[in-house]
Amino acid sequence: MPRTLRIASVNVNGIRAAVRKGMMPWLESAGVDILTLQEVRAEAADLASALPGWHIVNDEALAKGRAGVAIAAREPLDIWRIDLVEADADHEALDTRGRWVEADIDVDGETVTVVSAYVFTGEADTEKQVAKYAFLDAMEKRMPKLGELAVITGDLNVGHRTFDIRNWKGNVKKAGFLPRERAYFDRFTGEAGTEVECADGTTGPGLGWVDVGRRWAGEIDGPYTWWSNRGKAFDNDTGWRIDYQLATPRMAERVTDYRVVRAPSWDTRWSDHAPVVADYAFGDGAPSAAQ
């Protein structure tokens, strides 16, 4: 029988706050094998205290109390990396601390690379947006090097298509739905080895990765993963789908389930983001990376 590897990703908006507001009852019942976190806003000791018994790797932002990413697993994480930007890259001065961590995990004799990523929010026509594009450039260069069984999880801060934002018409000139941002995702998920027509009118080579959430949900609005705290956004489901699991084709073949764990009500949320959970099959009967 195949073994299920359950990967959950969530922007916790501060791990200590999430635990205080009720994260642990969900986690204890969710059957998660690998948990990726973004916007941790804490140090390694705080993560260890919040997740006793888990094996954790993390990267903290240089500015205390900002950003922060982590990967927590039931089994030891022996090999991990944080260097998204290579030494000879065009944007070697880009500060990616607290925004990208990779771990290689042995699953039934196969190596799976899991990434927890927290892309800059950005702000149109400012230096913050320049930094966001630089990060996405570095990410685009890194993705082909991650191996055949890889998944990038996290708060990627871009709604790729009109399905991904309830009020997309009101956000076409705002960070998170700018044509140039969406063009990266056109290339990320475009057919490998082909020239892809992008949202900003350019063309570029497709990388062949699979947006697990969109493939699973189909051509429908949402399901959204983040809601503003302003007004009645959560109650009215006026959200954005900006939290992803992007998988290599071989990894995507193994998906047996996907879901966004939306809280039943506004006052039961422990983050302004919802966990994104996917199940992957390994072991006897599962597709082989060598096939």
Side-chain angles (χ1 to χ4, degrees):
M1 293 290 293
R3 168 192 170 185
T4 295
L5 179 72
R6 180 164 294 168
I7 301 177
S9 175
V10 60
N11 178 322
V12 291
N13 198 15
I15 185 65
R16 289 166 293 192
V19 170
R20 187 173 65 249
K21 293 177 181 178
M23 172 182 167
M24 296 314 293
W26 166 77
L27 183 59
E28 289 165 2
S29 65
V32 173
D33 298 296
I34 299 172
L35 175 67
T36 70
L37 305 172
Q38 304 85 44
E39 209 167 352
V40 171
R41 297 184 180 179
E43 299 176 351
D46 299 302
L47 279 164
S49 176
L51 300 170
W54 289 76
H55 300 271
I56 305 169
V57 296
N58 74 303
D59 191 40
E60 299 166 15
L62 294 177
K64 190 173 182 179
R66 301 289 298 278
V69 288
I71 300 172
R74 298 292 188 181
E75 302 295 332
L77 296 166
D78 296 327
I79 302 173
W80 59 287
R81 300 167 294 274
I82 62 173
D83 297 324
L84 174 61
V85 179
E86 298 176 1
D88 60 350
D90 293 337
H91 302 287
E92 61 183 42
L94 174 66
D95 175 19
T96 63
R97 291 294 307 274
R99 295 188 176 273
W100 183 275
V101 61
E102 307 171 10
D104 294 339
I105 300 164
D106 182 271
V107 184
D108 289 350
E110 298 184 280
T111 299
V112 177
T113 298
V114 177
V115 177
S116 180
Y118 179 39
V119 175
F120 291 86
T121 303
E123 184 178 342
D125 302 319
T126 71
E127 288 301 311
K128 293 180 179 179
Q129 194 65 26
V130 173
K132 185 173 187 177
Y133 290 139
F135 188 98
L136 290 168
D137 283 339
M139 183 172 163
E140 190 169 14
K141 291 177 181 178
R142 180 62 185 156
M143 290 170 74
K145 303 174 183 178
L146 290 176
E148 287 193 334
L149 291 176
V151 56
I152 296 172
T153 70
D155 179 358
L156 305 187
N157 264 317
V158 177
H160 181 196
R161 300 172 62 193
T162 56
F163 292 121
D164 298 321
I165 302 180
R166 172 59 61 85
N167 181 25
W168 66 268
K169 291 181 180 179
N171 287 282
V172 292
K173 295 183 179 180
K174 296 180 181 179
F177 200 62
L178 296 171
R180 183 175 169 186
E181 295 174 323
R182 295 162 56 207
Y184 285 96
F185 284 72
D186 290 331
R187 295 190 296 274
F188 293 168
T189 61
E191 183 179 351
T194 66
E195 285 293 305
V196 178
E197 294 185 5
C198 300
D200 61 353
T202 64
T203 60
L207 298 184
W209 287 60
V210 175
D211 178 349
V212 174
R214 180 53 59 211
R215 174 179 282 187
W216 192 264
E219 304 287 284
I220 64 169
D221 291 338
Y224 306 121
T225 65
W226 173 81
W227 301 264
S228 171
N229 283 322
R230 298 175 181 174
K232 298 277 188 179
F234 183 84
D235 294 337
N236 298 329
D237 201 21
T238 305
W240 294 49
R241 191 179 76 97
I242 54 176
D243 302 86
Y244 292 81
Q245 294 204 23
L246 298 178
T248 56
R250 292 296 190 192
M251 192 70 174
E253 289 175 3
R254 297 165 181 258
V255 177
T256 59
D257 191 34
Y258 169 90
R259 56 204 172 279
V260 174
V261 187
R262 188 178 188 271
S265 62
W266 187 90
D267 60 345
T268 59
R269 299 184 308 162
W270 40 268
S271 173
D272 53 351
H273 292 252
V276 173
V277 184
D279 291 347
Y280 299 85
F282 284 82
D284 294 340
S288 169
Q291 289 178 351

